[in-house]
Amino acid sequence: MISHPSRHCTVELQALPSRIGQVRRIVSAQLRYWHMDVLIDRASLGVTELLSNVHRHAQPDKTCTVEIELLLDRLKVSVHDHDPRLPVVADAGPLATCGRGLAMVAAMSESWGVLPDDPGKVVWFTLPAPSAAEPAAWDRRPHLTAAAPGLPRFTEVALGDHVAEVHRPEPAPARSAVPG
């Protein structure tokens, strides 16, 4: 079930890998509708991590609800599942293949947390909304810069109001890994 009044979107699902991708696309589409394109990557990453945790850890079932809310100055993304166990940020070792999801959510978000909710819990994160003074992504014009003399002739495209000088290191001599 999907509902999305003007400032709120809710999706109920089974946290299965195929459904996680669908929710990511729904979140992206909703943020485009709200003209918050700059938040799509971080919101998609965060919701993917939270839903992956439901898929991997939640018991007795994988049923959950994803809610995104556009508040006055931030976007809030919440995932409610039926498992009352609260997640813990793991201290994953350098060779661990999992255990970094909540640490990534914490690093890329403005704030995050978990609340017990009968039944289960809600894990949430917030992202700051783009300010009204910040130019919208669709209002920015591409600026073309030519490569410096002596370097390959490629053109760089940068979006922005002002194009900063591009620092190009001196080309290094080619080296071979093969002796001789």
Side-chain angles (χ1 to χ4, degrees):
M1 178 181 154
I2 300 173
S3 69
H4 50 83
S6 62
R7 303 297 227 189
H8 184 263
C9 177
T10 303
V11 181
E12 296 177 30
L13 70 141
Q14 289 287 319
L16 303 172
S18 62
R19 297 289 294 154
I20 293 171
Q22 290 173 339
V23 171
R24 200 171 37 243
R25 288 186 291 279
I26 290 168
V27 168
S28 297
Q30 186 65 50
L31 291 177
R32 279 189 204 92
Y33 177 76
W34 287 338
H35 303 292
M36 307 206 87
D37 301 52
V38 298
L39 299 180
I40 289 173
D41 289 342
R42 290 189 295 158
S44 295
L45 173 66
V47 78
T48 299
E49 290 302 327
L50 297 185
L51 289 174
S52 295
N53 283 348
V54 173
H55 173 70
R56 170 170 262 163
H57 302 291
Q59 297 174 10
D61 60 47
K62 308 301 181 191
T63 304
C64 63
T65 302
V66 174
E67 181 177 17
I68 59 174
E69 295 177 272
L70 184 55
L71 305 171
L72 290 176
D73 60 347
R74 71 186 41 89
L75 177 76
K76 183 176 182 184
V77 179
S78 307
V79 175
H80 176 267
D81 67 49
H82 298 132
D83 190 341
R85 297 174 300 156
L86 302 181
V88 177
V89 177
D91 187 16
L95 300 177
T97 58
C98 61
R100 293 181 181 86
L102 285 178
M104 284 192 334
V105 169
M108 65 89 195
S109 65
E110 178 182 61
S111 61
W112 78 280
V114 58
L115 296 169
D117 191 40
D118 191 30
K121 66 182 167 299
V122 176
V123 183
W124 57 269
F125 66 90
T126 63
L127 300 171
S131 72
E134 185 178 308
W138 61 88
D139 286 339
R140 293 157 66 186
R141 305 278 189 257
H143 299 281
L144 301 177
T145 58
L151 291 178
R153 296 285 182 196
F154 294 104
T155 302
E156 292 182 0
V157 177
L159 289 177
D161 299 322
H162 305 286
V163 175
E165 283 188 40
V166 178
H167 173 70
R168 298 185 192 288
E170 290 295 319
R175 296 183 185 179
S176 173
V178 179

